[in-house]
Amino acid sequence: MTVHESIKAPEGVPGLPRPATPAHVVKSDAEAIEVAHRVAAELLKGASERDQHRSLPVAEVDLYSQSGLWSINVPKKFGGPEVSYRTLVKVIEIISAADPSIGQITQNHLGIVAAIRTVSDEAQQALLFGEVLKGVRLGNAFSEFGSKRAADFETSFTDHGDHVVVTGKKFYSSGAILAHLVPIVATDDQGRAWYVIADRNAEGLTVINDWSSFGQRTTFSGTVIIDHVKVPKDHVVPGYKGYEKPSADGAIFQIIQVAVDTGIAKAAIDDTIDFVKTKSRPWIDSGLDKAAADPYTIQAIGSLTLRLHAAQALLDKAAEAIDDALVEPTAEKVAWAQIVTAEAKVLSTEIAIEATNKLFELAGTRATLAEHNLDRHWRNARTHTLHDPVRWKYAILGNYFLNGVNPPFHAWS
């Protein structure tokens, strides 16, 4: 058993209370899309200002989680909507087009819900899904800043009968600051990785507001200090089991990232079109009265829209492959879900970067003024698409199609 010394943590951000009233439970795929559009309209109103001032989106995330969209992949067996993943990723895209930081905050929550479905016994599923259906939010304390590789974990826990005690330090903790429960990836004495789901206000758990990235600013994906935090055994989820045999868990974590990027791209293209039509001036040599009549601009918008639609089509195809793999999780179906998700990840990354960069070329110099804050789209795209390197997606695809080698099986693939 590993013995940890206490960790001196700076003052953190206090946790929020749990919802006073139960969250809405969505009844159908169609309702999920309808609710997503309604919530997105509210999130859009202050998205630019929240980015500029790094404002903590407390009311916005409360609205989002209470809407029922955070429980949409809870199985019907436990009272959840269990919408298709095609619907789920459309929801994330809609939310992310309004505010991609808030879209990203949902990613680990929904990924953990999927993992619980795969690895937990029925009693643990009933307990944790019941919490999610009430509106309880799961955060993220997975990655470690100083480890050699993303999947190397120094955070560990020790068994104390009816509870465990976990100690470590995490970074890139999107959602933890506004969560009610914080899943911590920690290893046992055999080196196996578990999700140790701690109460956000547990003694020894400190969430620090130190996220300084130039993009995705209001994910607040900073540091979590875990200093001898006690967690009851029924909140310790055997995450490692999700990768002992074929499952769609890794592809699910990935596809939600894809939907965030297509949302960013869509928002950038929409803002480009609006700016060109309402604020941009035609080039002096064009002889035109409106910037929107410029044939080069027209061609560029057509190209961007085409590439976005291609990425969205692959996103749909990947989601359908995941739904298929959930029904029949064979090695072949899981590998195919991973492959199509990797394809979608490549195109969504490329269109997010291209669209957010092209915005300024097409809209003109005045689009760079701080009052418009349109650079947030590029900053968000450039930051979020770094989550896992697309150059390795190309390698996975080539090895699969050329040599018949299945993708590596982990949460990043």
Side-chain angles (χ1 to χ4, degrees):
M1 291 170 56
T2 304
V3 178
H4 294 276
E5 295 181 359
S6 292
I7 299 172
K8 291 184 179 180
E11 185 176 350
V13 177
L16 297 172
R18 296 195 181 197
T21 57
H24 174 67
V25 177
V26 169
K27 301 297 188 296
S28 66
D29 288 55
E31 186 191 357
I33 299 297
E34 177 189 342
V35 171
H37 281 296
R38 188 166 65 245
V39 171
E42 294 301 315
L43 299 182
L44 180 61
K45 291 176 182 177
S48 178
E49 290 75 15
R50 289 192 296 275
D51 169 85
Q52 286 179 315
H53 303 294
R54 293 187 184 269
S55 303
L56 200 61
V58 177
E60 292 78 13
V61 172
D62 280 343
L63 169 70
Y64 183 19
S65 61
Q66 286 294 103
S67 74
L69 294 177
W70 286 50
S71 65
I72 55 176
N73 61 339
V74 171
K76 292 182 187 295
K77 177 180 178 180
F78 296 94
E82 196 175 354
V83 304
S84 69
Y85 272 88
R86 186 176 184 184
T87 294
L88 185 147
V89 297
K90 194 61 173 177
V91 165
I92 297 299
E93 182 184 275
I94 292 166
I95 296 297
S96 297
D99 187 331
S101 286
I102 293 178
Q104 185 184 346
I105 285 172
T106 338
Q107 190 253 349
N108 291 296
H109 171 98
L110 295 171
I112 290 292
V113 169
I116 291 168
R117 171 179 174 161
T118 300
V119 305
S120 293
D121 61 28
E122 190 162 336
Q124 188 172 61
Q125 288 181 17
L127 172 67
L128 296 176
F129 289 153
E131 292 287 280
V132 170
L133 288 167
K134 292 175 187 175
V136 170
R137 295 190 294 264
L138 303 172
N140 157 35
F142 297 172
S143 297
E144 300 183 5
F145 194 75
S147 60
K148 188 173 183 179
R149 302 176 191 84
D152 293 340
F153 304 111
E154 295 180 2
T155 301
S156 62
F157 66 89
T158 53
D159 194 325
H160 292 258
D162 64 347
H163 69 277
V164 302
V165 175
V166 58
T167 297
K169 184 177 181 180
K170 300 289 187 175
F171 196 65
Y172 303 117
S173 303
S174 306
I177 205 164
L178 296 176
H180 305 114
L181 293 171
V182 180
I184 303 161
V185 173
T187 56
D188 61 13
D189 56 6
Q190 298 179 52
R192 301 175 302 184
W194 299 64
Y195 300 116
V196 183
I197 304 177
D199 189 278
R200 170 66 172 82
N201 290 308
E203 184 178 356
L205 184 68
T206 306
V207 182
I208 302 168
N209 183 5
D210 60 351
W211 178 241
S212 62
S213 173
F214 62 65
Q216 294 295 90
R217 290 176 171 179
T218 59
T219 60
F220 295 93
S221 304
T223 301
V224 174
I225 303 294
I226 309 119
D227 185 9
H228 292 84
V229 174
K230 292 182 179 180
V231 178
K233 281 279 186 69
D234 57 11
H235 279 58
V236 181
V237 175
Y240 68 91
K241 290 184 178 180
Y243 302 96
E244 285 187 334
K245 59 183 180 179
S247 80
D249 286 6
I252 288 170
F253 274 108
Q254 282 289 298
I255 199 171
I256 299 171
Q257 304 285 17
V258 175
V260 173
D261 292 333
T262 57
I264 293 171
K266 185 178 188 308
I269 293 170
D270 288 347
D271 278 355
T272 303
I273 291 170
D274 179 69
F275 205 98
V276 167
K277 292 173 73 171
T278 61
K279 298 180 180 67
S280 299
R281 296 184 296 181
W283 179 238
I284 187 172
D285 295 328
S286 69
L288 299 169
D289 294 328
K290 295 181 179 179
D294 184 327
Y296 300 110
T297 301
I298 291 171
Q299 185 275 337
I301 292 295
S303 175
L304 291 172
T305 305
L306 170 64
R307 284 160 174 72
L308 173 61
H309 290 169
Q312 290 171 323
L314 269 179
L315 179 60
D316 278 350
K317 184 177 179 180
E320 290 173 356
I322 287 172
D323 284 325
D324 192 30
L326 285 171
V327 173
E328 190 180 356
T330 64
E332 293 76 17
K333 287 182 181 290
V334 168
W336 181 242
Q338 292 178 281
I339 285 297
V340 189
T341 300
E343 291 179 328
K345 182 71 169 69
V346 169
L347 287 197
S348 66
T349 292
E350 291 178 353
I351 186 57
I353 297 298
E354 183 183 5
T356 56
N357 185 47
K358 202 80 172 177
L359 186 161
F360 302 100
E361 177 186 334
L362 300 178
T365 306
R366 68 178 62 184
T368 67
L369 297 178
E371 65 195 75
H372 305 303
N373 195 31
L374 293 173
D375 61 294
R376 74 185 187 278
H377 295 308
W378 182 87
R379 290 187 284 102
N380 290 335
R382 184 61 285 174
T383 299
H384 187 260
T385 56
L386 297 174
H387 185 271
D388 46 283
V390 161
R391 64 187 180 276
W392 277 89
K393 300 300 183 188
Y394 278 110
I396 286 169
L397 296 173
N399 220 11
Y400 179 84
F401 290 113
L402 180 63
N403 298 316
V405 177
N406 283 350
F409 191 46
H410 49 59
W412 293 268
S413 175

